[in-house]
C-alpha cells in the first residue's frame, strides 16, 4: 500500500519502536493516530493522540470508532515480563498473553471492518525472533509471540478476500526500554527496524525479517535441532 495516502493507527506509539513507526509514517505523508494508554505521553509532531489500552476491549472499540478513516493498523504495543512458563508467576504469563496476543487479536477484529470499509489496507504485527526461538528464561514472552505469529498467518488468509494485507515483522533485540539490560552490541536501532517496516508495508511483504538474528532463527527452523533444542 502507498503510505502517502494511508491513515495509520500505531499502538504503543508513545515510546520505543512505536514512536519511530509513528514519526516515519508522518515523514512519508501518512495521517497517523498515535495510540497509547495515556494520551499525554504521545509527543510525536504531527501525530494525533488516540487513547487505546490493548488489554481493554472497550477502549479498542472506542478507538476504532474515533479513527474511522483508518487504512493501516500497526499492532506494536507489547510487554516482556521475564516470566518462565513453569516456575514463573502465572499472572505474568496471562498478562503477557493478554497484551501480546489477545491485544493484537482484539485490535485486528475491531479495525478490520473499518479498514475494509475504507477500501482495504493493511495490518502489521510486530513480532520477534522469539516467535520461533523459545528459550526457557523467556518462555512466557516467546509463547505469546508464537501465538501472535499464528495470528498473523491465519488472519492474513482470512482478511485477504476483504482487501487487507497482513504483515509480520520479526526482530531480535532493539535499542528500546524493553531491552535496556541487553548490551548495546547485541541490539539493532529501532529507527532502522521502523524503516524496514515502512518498506515492508509498502511492498505488501507477508514477513519482514528486520535483523540478522531473525533471519538466522527463521532459517534454523528447518534444521533437525532448533537453536535451543540441543
Ligand atoms: N525491544 C526489543 O528488543 C524487542 C525485540 C523484538 C520485538 N519487540 C517488540 O516490539 C514491540 C515494541 O516494543 P519496544 O521495544 O518499543 O518496547 P517498549 O519501549 O517497552 O515500548 C512498549 C510499548 O508498548 C506499550 N504498551 C504496553 N502495554 C500496553 C497496553 N496494554 N496498551 C497499550 N500500549 C501498551 C507501551 O506503553 P506504556 O508507555 O503505556 O507502557 C509502550 O508504548 C513490542 O511488541 C515488543 O514485544 C521488541
Amino acid at each position: 500500500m502507498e503510505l502517502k495516502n494511508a491513515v495509520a493507527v500505531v499502538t504503543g506509539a508513545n515510546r520505543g519502536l512505536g514512536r519511530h513507526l509513528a514519526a516515519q509514517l508522518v515523514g512519508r505523508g501518512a495521517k497517523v493516530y498515535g495510540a497509547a494508554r495515556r494520551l499525554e505521553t504521545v509527543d510525536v509532531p504531527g501525530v494525533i493522540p488516540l487513547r487505546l489500552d490493548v488489554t481493554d476491549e472497550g477502549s479498542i472499540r472506542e478507538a476504532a470508532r474515533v479513527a474511522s478513516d483508518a487504512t493501516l493498523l500497526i499492532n506494536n504495543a507489547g510487554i516482556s515480563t521475564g516470566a518462565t512458563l513453569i516456575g514463573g508467576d502465572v499472572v505474568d504469563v496471562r498478562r503477557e498473553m493478554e497484551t501480546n496476543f489477545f491485544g493484537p487479536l482484539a485490535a485486528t477484529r475491531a479495525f478490520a471492518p473499518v479498514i475494509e470499509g475504507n477500501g482495504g489496507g493493511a495490518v502489521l504485527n510486530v513480532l520477534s525472533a522469539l516467535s520461533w526461538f523459545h528459550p526457557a528464561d523467556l518462555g512466557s514472552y516467546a509463547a505469546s509471540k508464537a501465538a501472535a505469529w499464528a495470528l498473523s498467518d491465519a488472519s492474513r488468509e482470512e482478511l485477504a478476500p476483504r482487501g487487507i494485507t497482513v504483515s509480520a515483522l520479526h526482530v531480535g533485540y532493539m535499542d528500546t526500554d524493553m531491552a535496556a539490560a541487553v548490551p548495546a552490541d547485541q541490539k539493532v536501532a529501532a529507527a532502522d527496524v521502523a524503516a524496514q517496516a515502512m518498506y515492508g508495508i509498502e511492498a505488501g511483504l507477508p514477513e519482514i525479517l528486520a535483523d540478522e538474528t531473525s533471519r538466522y532463527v527463521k532459517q534454523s527452523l528447518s534444521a533437525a535441532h532448533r537453536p535451543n533444542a540441543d
Side-chain angles (χ1 to χ4, degrees):
M1 79 185 290
E2 211 188 335
L3 291 177
K4 193 159 77 76
N5 301 317
V7 180
V9 174
V10 182
T11 68
N14 55 317
R15 58 190 175 95
L17 177 65
R19 197 167 186 284
H20 287 285
L21 290 167
Q24 292 189 22
L25 283 163
V26 170
R28 285 169 185 254
K31 175 178 176 182
V32 182
Y33 293 98
R37 292 190 271 205
R38 287 167 296 136
L39 285 181
E40 67 278 14
T41 60
V42 179
D43 63 353
V44 181
V47 167
I48 304 159
L50 180 70
R51 210 194 85 71
L52 193 159
D53 179 334
V54 299
T55 63
D56 173 356
E57 294 217 13
S59 86
I60 294 173
R61 272 196 305 276
E62 176 59 12
R65 194 190 63 75
V66 173
S68 60
D69 51 350
T71 58
L72 169 64
L73 169 67
I74 301 189
N75 285 312
N76 163 77
I79 57 167
S80 175
T81 68
T84 60
L85 281 171
I86 310 304
D89 189 334
V90 78
V91 171
D92 285 335
V93 178
R94 286 187 187 280
R95 201 156 60 85
E96 221 147 31
M97 199 57 91
E98 286 294 339
T99 306
N100 298 348
F101 172 70
F102 286 106
L105 173 61
T108 304
R109 289 172 66 107
F111 276 96
V114 175
I115 297 172
E116 184 182 14
N118 291 323
V123 175
L124 172 70
N125 294 329
V126 177
L127 306 181
S128 171
L130 296 173
S131 301
W132 301 313
F133 171 55
H134 308 139
D137 59 352
L138 286 166
S140 170
Y141 177 83
S144 71
K145 290 295 185 181
W149 176 39
L151 164 65
S152 303
D153 282 351
S155 64
R156 181 178 305 117
E157 188 180 330
E158 193 173 349
L159 293 175
R162 297 169 63 179
I164 303 173
T165 304
V166 177
S167 302
L169 183 149
H170 297 264
V171 62
Y173 288 122
M174 286 185 289
D175 61 350
T176 66
D177 295 343
M178 187 178 284
V182 176
D185 63 353
Q186 293 176 29
K187 298 188 272 201
V188 295
D192 178 55
V193 174
Q196 293 188 59
M198 298 298 115
Y199 172 79
I201 296 165
E202 285 196 312
L205 299 181
E207 200 164 79
I208 302 159
L209 303 179
D211 68 347
E212 200 49 53
T213 303
S214 58
R215 287 188 284 274
Y216 170 74
V217 173
K218 175 74 193 291
Q219 201 179 23
S220 306
L221 281 175
S222 60
H225 291 282
R226 293 200 298 283
N228 63 334
D230 50 8

